[in-house]
Amino acid sequence: MPRRRLLASAAALAGGAAAMAAFPAGAGAASSPAPGGGRGGVVDVTDHGAVGDGVTIDTAAIQAAVDEAAARGGIVRFPPGHYRLVTPGIRITRPVQLQGVGWEATGVQPGAGESAAVPGGSWLFCDDPTSPVITVAAAPGAAAPSGVIIRDLAVRQAQPAGSGVFPEPVARAGFVPADSPFAVSIGPGCTDVVVERLFLLNVTRGISVGLSGGPATGRVTLRGIWGQPLNEGITFDNCQDVVRLEDVHFFPYWKVGPVADWQLEHGTAITLRRVDNPQLQGVFCYGFATGLLLATSPAGSPHKVKVTGGDFDKCRVGIRVTVPADPAGPHTFANVTVQGPRRDDAAAIDIVGTGVRTAFANLAITHHGGSAVRVAGPGCLLLADMLFVDDVDLTGRGAAVISAVGGAVARIGAQRDITVKGSGPETEGDVHLA
């Protein structure tokens, strides 16, 4: 089955007239009335001179549209086009809404008649490796914004192996992505921010929420986030109010081969650091070194993590927890699956710390190469009910299906089904099977 690929503007790879030839007249954005003309609170980016042809740098024009809309409280509209951005990207310092029209995806068979094309939709194209795409943050001397909404936009980035344009360079062995900042950054103190229906085709880093320290961030909702972020997908830190992450689909939309190999060695799909009561639902992550990571930062550790519906496919580790005890309560996970890859002895569920308490209900682990569940560290407790382990190959790996060591305890409910391929012990350490 051909893998999904997205065709983006030919201008990302070609310059001058050759690039412009890929964009028929009017294909990027139609002519619009003068600023403020006849649309109430809606400001079209083309009103301020944005072209959307993938070649013209539209940063200043888009920023002017954002500033106009923010001054009166309104919507910034992105007609179909490919809007090229450079440093500093788009900066949002007051309540405003960025509104695209979505994006068009095209399935192709790699190597079979690929050609440059211009998909419909609203695309932000960043070919400056030092630049973010969108930053939500306080202006100097002002309060951080609240009530910002970003929706129905797609982002692509210039990488050593192209930017989603066909034909594009073949990714060679040893591929390393551009060392770029997060494409979307929601800064300290920002609250009541919504990002929904956002496509991150091939960014090195996707979305950060409250990552920079300073005043706490909170009440942020990310919903409908797709793409192939290569190094870090979504990271939360210093968020001291409820955050919600819903309907995530990270998949190799852009490239497999050496790109996917690098991602499998280095990539983390979702990272939770200091975040209070995060609620994750409907998360799918494919081909990362770690699917979901709970870790500690100078701001602290996550509290009361709740995951409902998570599928970590071809991830070396599905869920990794490396945090201290949480006095606010255990971290809970329901309806979670982890599949492969059968390549090393990394545990599918890996809990390491001191006094960490986790609870799993309806957990399925298949085609893995190491322990299905490993919990290690004094006072750590893992509860799992309705556990299904199938086709886990422990031959010669020195690992058990369920391991609780270093003072940790694992309690596994009676409703379980465990099948080991080849040899290998079912349990190791202080494991209690009901």
Side-chain angles (χ1 to χ4, degrees):
M1 181 181 70
R3 62 188 174 93
R4 300 287 292 172
R5 302 287 295 273
L6 273 94
L7 302 182
S9 146
L13 290 181
M20 294 298 293
F23 291 86
S31 61
S32 303
R39 283 196 296 266
V42 178
V43 179
D44 195 303
V45 295
T46 61
D47 290 351
H48 287 271
V51 178
D53 63 2
V55 178
T56 304
I57 296 175
D58 288 323
T59 313
I62 293 172
Q63 189 63 55
V66 169
D67 293 344
E68 181 190 341
R72 64 190 192 201
I75 298 172
V76 180
R77 179 177 179 270
F78 291 77
H82 291 253
Y83 300 93
R84 184 181 173 199
L85 301 172
V86 295
T87 298
I90 303 168
R91 295 189 61 83
I92 300 175
T93 59
R94 300 175 66 181
V96 74
Q97 176 175 324
L98 305 190
Q99 175 71 63
V101 299
W103 61 90
E104 178 184 43
T106 303
V108 300
Q109 179 67 44
E114 293 181 352
S115 60
V118 183
S122 303
W123 287 81
L124 303 178
F125 167 47
C126 185
D127 64 350
D128 181 347
T130 68
S131 178
V133 176
I134 300 172
T135 301
V136 184
S146 63
V148 173
I149 299 174
I150 302 167
R151 56 163 58 109
D152 296 320
L153 291 166
V155 178
R156 61 190 182 90
Q157 179 180 344
Q159 293 284 2
S163 59
V165 177
F166 304 104
E168 63 178 359
V170 174
R172 301 184 181 278
F175 167 86
V176 176
D179 186 14
S180 299
F182 282 95
V184 178
S185 175
I186 301 170
C190 297
T191 55
D192 301 307
V193 176
V194 176
V195 179
E196 60 183 354
R197 299 187 297 274
L198 181 71
F199 189 82
L200 305 168
L201 172 62
N202 65 340
V203 299
T204 301
R205 296 177 175 90
I207 303 172
S208 70
V209 180
L211 190 62
S212 303
T217 303
R219 299 191 303 274
V220 174
T221 296
L222 308 182
R223 179 187 301 118
I225 311 298
W226 293 271
Q228 188 181 1
L230 304 177
N231 189 8
E232 298 178 68
I234 299 170
T235 295
F236 293 92
D237 194 7
N238 199 26
C239 298
Q240 299 181 28
D241 205 335
V242 175
V243 299
R244 292 175 174 85
L245 179 60
E246 304 168 359
D247 301 329
V248 173
H249 196 99
F250 288 160
F251 184 74
Y253 286 96
W254 181 47
K255 286 182 184 290
V256 291
V259 172
D261 293 343
W262 190 96
Q263 185 177 328
L264 186 62
E265 290 293 331
H266 304 281
T268 300
I270 301 167
T271 302
L272 305 178
R273 294 192 175 97
R274 172 63 194 275
V275 53
D276 293 350
N277 199 22
Q279 302 180 24
L280 284 65
Q281 181 175 354
V283 172
F284 176 80
C285 304
Y286 183 101
F288 291 86
T290 303
L292 172 63
L293 173 65
L294 279 59
T296 300
S297 76
S301 302
H303 297 306
K304 294 194 299 181
V305 174
K306 298 176 180 66
V307 178
T308 304
D311 188 350
F312 303 97
D313 197 353
K314 296 295 187 294
C315 292
R316 295 178 62 187
V317 177
I319 298 173
R320 171 165 281 154
V321 180
T322 59
V323 296
D326 182 8
H331 306 299
T332 59
F333 306 84
N335 304 325
V336 171
T337 60
V338 182
Q339 296 86 232
R342 188 183 291 123
R343 52 162 287 172
D344 53 31
D345 59 358
I349 306 294
D350 195 23
I351 315 295
V352 181
T354 301
V356 182
R357 296 179 295 163
T358 56
F360 290 82
N362 298 337
L363 172 62
I365 298 167
T366 59
H367 314 302
H368 208 74
S371 295
V373 175
R374 182 176 80 104
V375 54
C380 290
L381 172 64
L382 179 140
L383 306 180
D385 199 13
M386 302 185 72
L387 172 65
F388 185 95
V389 179
D390 183 40
D391 197 19
V392 171
D393 188 357
L394 303 176
T395 303
R397 298 183 186 272
V401 177
I402 303 168
S403 174
V405 296
V409 176
R411 296 194 180 112
I412 310 301
Q415 297 297 318
R416 65 180 182 272
D417 186 84
I418 299 175
T419 303
V420 179
K421 180 178 181 180
S423 61
E426 186 170 291
T427 66
E428 174 189 26
D430 196 357
V431 178
H432 302 261
L433 301 178

